[in-house]
Amino acid sequence: MSDHALRLLREQPHLAELAAFPFNFDLTRADHGEAVRLASGGPLEAVAGDDTGGTYFVCGDGSVLYADSEGSAGIIGNSVDEALEVLVGLPGWHDHLGLAPADGEEKIRAALAETEEEIREYHGIDDERTGLRAGLGLPERSPVQLIGLLHAALLRTEPDFLLLNAEEGGAHALLDRHPRPPLWEAVLARGRTDLTLLREGSAWVEVAEDRARRALALRAAQFDRREGDLPLLRHLLRHEAEASMTDELRLAAVLVGLHGHAEDLPLLYEVRETDFDTWCGLGGMPEPGADPAELRRWARDLDDSLFGTDPADEPLFTWTGLAHEQGLVELARAALIRRLDDIDFRAYCDARDGKAMERRDASQLSTLVHEFEQLGDTFQALRAQRLYVPLQTRAWDRVSALLRLARLEREEDRFGAAIRTLTSLRDTLAEPDGGAGDSDGDGDGDGDNSLGHWQRTNLGAYIVEEHYALARTAATDTALADEVRAVTVAAGELLARLSGTARENVERHLAGTTDIRTDTRTDIHTDTGANAGAGVSAEPTPPQPSAG
């Protein structure tokens, strides 16, 4: 990728003036006015702007990203040289973002001619174009070729060049409105290839022993079902059982069961008995010796409720999870951010209209937090958790959500926010009903007894550990010295309230902690009474993807 033209513009003022007017690529307007960054974390350098408030950025691979002042962004060239070819060859290019090579030469030329005639009513462009092309050494391309370059560049914007507001984390809209393939199509491509290889009798070992390839092949088989696939489905089922209970294991069992062969019942039973998780996850399966019709009914019921034959019906989190597994991290991240932005916008509209945020978003937000953490994107996980907290009505759930929020704030070095969150958490422990009173004297308010035994559960232990973790990491911020001391005092008071076993385990854990910043616990999903007195031996179960 060449930056030859950009160097010349910086070295030769007369060329820079010509680029600024009439072609609106002005090196003196490189201040975008708000902090932005790429979702991928890649480098981004503002090099020029235009008179509408838009900015031209150079990305790490040399691609030029244009961001307008209305919150839209898109790649317009593979290099500064190519972007300038577009700007010089297509003055008024903003008006042609909807054009594509498929529109045909006649339509493209007519649209461009109309725009250029309107521009010529106010100032010249022809001699200026010839002069700037010569000065920068830009080739002369036809309008159809230039539209092709612009169209191809725009389609590369996502996922690698998704632009975010650096403070709030929301994504810019796409600069163009050209249709893109659905997420599932990109994710499923490798699986379809592997399914073809399996049907041809090759790559059985390679696909079956690779978790990501095996899962994708099973998904491809879900949407392209053939009678002759039973042997390969049995093969994939046996290997998927090694991963314990997964959605793809259940899918493999369903696809085998739909064939309705009695000889498959021993295999299915063996897979179900792999461990406790598979035994629960494949519950209701007919026993060996059952009627084949019963097997087929079991498989059909699960297929109708959980799977089906249309990839567009699968939850978003199915595809983002599979994308992550095969290394398509930015594809997963972009889709998750877009979903979070949708929920965030609805929350904004509800707040503006004086309505409560819809609880239907709660399960999606919980899964979004988990998925972002899997991607290592604590910033976006924190965005989602902030929206999730107000949706929790039960005291136990509020405390659990606040605990996770505080941990994410700590990991993002937002120590002041984390301190305030832990204060809210302790207030909830003291008054689970939000100050509604405690007529029965049990210390847990009236009507909500979900925190009745928090001192004897993993939740209590994690609360104490998070207080100490925050005190330790925030100690570097001298401006928060008083607040950090208060957190430390609160940690000691909470530790004293834990049951004997829980307290001993916390003390043992803290004594062996060398880097508290690596603690990445998720939400507490343990029932209030289930682990009473159990100490801190078990990690909470991460939230599972919902069907939303």
Side-chain angles (χ1 to χ4, degrees):
M1 297 303 177
S2 171
D3 62 354
H4 172 73
L6 184 59
R7 279 202 314 273
L8 289 176
L9 291 178
R10 287 170 170 170
E11 294 168 358
Q12 302 186 36
H14 72 284
L15 292 178
E17 291 174 6
L18 199 55
F21 183 81
F23 300 107
N24 226 353
F25 186 85
D26 191 342
L27 298 182
T28 68
R29 294 179 181 268
D31 183 5
H32 189 56
E34 68 174 6
V36 293
R37 66 178 180 86
L38 292 178
S40 66
L44 197 65
E45 178 192 5
V47 295
D50 61 26
D51 60 10
T52 69
T55 308
Y56 298 93
F57 297 90
V58 177
C59 305
D61 68 343
S63 296
V64 175
L65 180 74
Y66 175 80
D68 66 21
S69 59
E70 303 300 319
S72 298
I75 295 292
I76 62 168
N78 293 332
S79 65
V80 176
D81 289 15
E82 186 176 294
L84 282 166
E85 283 188 53
V86 171
L87 270 60
V88 173
L90 303 174
W93 63 274
H94 297 81
D95 297 332
H96 307 308
L97 293 170
L99 289 176
D103 291 318
E105 182 173 357
E106 182 178 351
K107 180 178 178 179
I108 290 173
R109 287 188 179 275
L112 300 185
E114 181 180 354
T115 298
E116 292 194 1
E117 283 306 311
E118 292 175 357
I119 294 174
R120 290 188 185 98
E121 293 180 8
Y122 300 96
H123 55 77
I125 55 172
D126 299 304
D127 292 342
E128 292 82 356
R129 177 158 49 200
T130 300
L132 190 55
R133 276 176 173 165
L136 297 179
L138 301 177
E140 183 174 348
R141 299 184 191 272
S142 72
V144 177
Q145 288 176 310
L146 291 171
I147 288 295
L149 289 176
L150 178 59
H151 179 69
L154 289 167
L155 292 180
R156 291 199 306 112
T157 303
E158 286 193 20
D160 295 321
F161 305 102
L162 181 64
L163 190 66
L164 306 181
N165 179 291
E167 295 297 323
E168 299 175 0
H172 283 55
L174 289 170
L175 194 61
D176 68 282
R177 296 296 180 264
H178 294 298
R180 266 75 170 175
L183 173 64
W184 61 261
E185 190 170 301
V187 175
L188 206 54
R190 179 65 182 273
R192 287 171 164 167
T193 299
D194 279 343
L195 181 59
T196 299
L197 292 175
L198 291 169
R199 285 168 173 166
E200 293 172 350
S202 59
W204 274 48
V205 174
E206 295 87 342
V207 173
E209 294 184 354
D210 185 312
R211 159 62 196 161
R213 293 180 68 179
R214 184 174 67 241
L216 285 169
L218 282 166
R219 289 293 176 176
Q222 175 186 349
F223 307 115
D224 180 13
R225 305 181 182 191
R226 300 186 186 180
E227 189 64 31
D229 284 347
L230 184 55
L232 68 88
L233 292 172
R234 290 167 175 160
H235 180 65
L236 295 176
L237 173 62
R238 290 188 180 94
H239 283 79
E240 187 62 22
E242 298 172 5
S244 189
M245 193 60 233
T246 64
D247 287 340
E248 283 71 38
L249 179 66
R250 188 180 284 113
L251 171 61
V254 165
L255 293 176
V256 169
L258 285 172
H259 286 267
H261 289 254
E263 59 266 31
D264 287 321
L265 282 167
L267 169 62
L268 291 166
Y269 183 79
E270 178 185 342
V271 168
R272 191 189 72 176
E273 298 297 307
T274 300
D275 56 36
F276 180 73
D277 289 336
T278 56
W279 186 84
C280 293
L282 295 175
M285 178 188 294
E287 301 285 332
D291 189 287
E294 187 180 347
L295 171 61
R296 193 178 290 110
R297 275 195 303 273
W298 171 81
R300 189 180 298 116
D301 288 345
L302 275 180
D303 190 30
D304 291 343
S305 61
L306 297 177
F307 299 111
T309 58
D310 187 349
D313 291 338
E314 282 291 324
L316 169 71
F317 301 118
T318 295
W319 302 120
T320 54
L322 291 170
H324 184 201
E325 267 196 271
Q326 60 177 310
L328 301 175
V329 173
E330 296 312 318
L331 191 65
R333 191 196 314 272
L336 292 169
I337 290 174
R338 292 294 188 194
R339 176 60 60 85
L340 177 56
D341 284 353
D342 289 343
I343 296 174
D344 200 357
F345 180 70
R346 287 201 299 273
Y348 163 78
C349 292
D350 289 341
R352 179 196 61 195
D353 298 337
K355 299 190 300 184
M357 187 176 171
E358 296 186 30
R359 288 197 53 77
R360 67 185 174 90
D361 289 327
S363 61
Q364 289 202 52
L365 285 168
S366 180
T367 307
L368 281 166
V369 175
H370 176 69
E371 292 295 308
F372 280 126
E373 289 203 85
Q374 292 294 103
L375 294 177
D377 197 334
T378 310
F379 180 85
Q380 295 293 344
L382 178 55
R383 277 187 68 204
Q385 188 67 11
R386 283 180 180 144
L387 291 171
Y388 179 75
V389 169
L391 296 175
Q392 309 313 303
T393 57
R394 197 173 70 129
W396 175 279
D397 297 330
R398 288 199 306 275
V399 167
S400 174
L402 287 167
L403 179 60
R404 192 178 202 178
L405 178 62
R407 192 254 300 165
L408 291 169
E409 289 169 335
R410 168 174 61 83
E411 291 177 351
E412 280 290 297
D413 292 339
R414 302 184 184 214
F415 301 137
I419 289 170
R420 291 189 293 274
T421 297
L422 287 184
T423 299
S424 296
L425 185 156
R426 294 194 302 276
D427 289 344
T428 305
L429 288 177
E431 295 185 345
D433 284 338
D438 184 25
S439 60
D440 57 7
D442 65 359
D444 290 307
D446 291 327
D448 187 342
N449 295 318
S450 58
L451 288 170
H453 303 287
W454 68 267
Q455 303 93 333
R456 292 185 286 165
T457 67
N458 286 343
L459 174 62
Y462 295 154
I463 290 170
V464 174
E465 289 180 6
E466 184 55 42
H467 276 72
Y468 279 117
L470 178 58
R472 189 175 297 187
T473 53
T476 57
D477 191 337
T478 56
L480 294 172
D482 291 341
E483 290 87 344
V484 170
R485 278 193 290 272
V487 169
T488 305
V489 170
E493 293 172 347
L494 290 168
L495 178 62
R497 296 178 65 185
L498 295 183
S499 69
T501 302
R503 184 169 60 252
E504 290 170 6
N505 279 306
V506 171
E507 290 171 343
R508 188 180 305 114
H509 170 78
L510 293 174
T513 299
T514 57
D515 183 7
I516 201 69
R517 294 171 65 92
T518 63
D519 190 335
T520 56
R521 285 187 169 85
T522 56
D523 266 339
I524 313 302
H525 293 274
T526 312
D527 192 82
T528 50
N531 278 333
V536 292
S537 59
E539 283 285 330
T541 304
Q544 298 301 310
S546 70

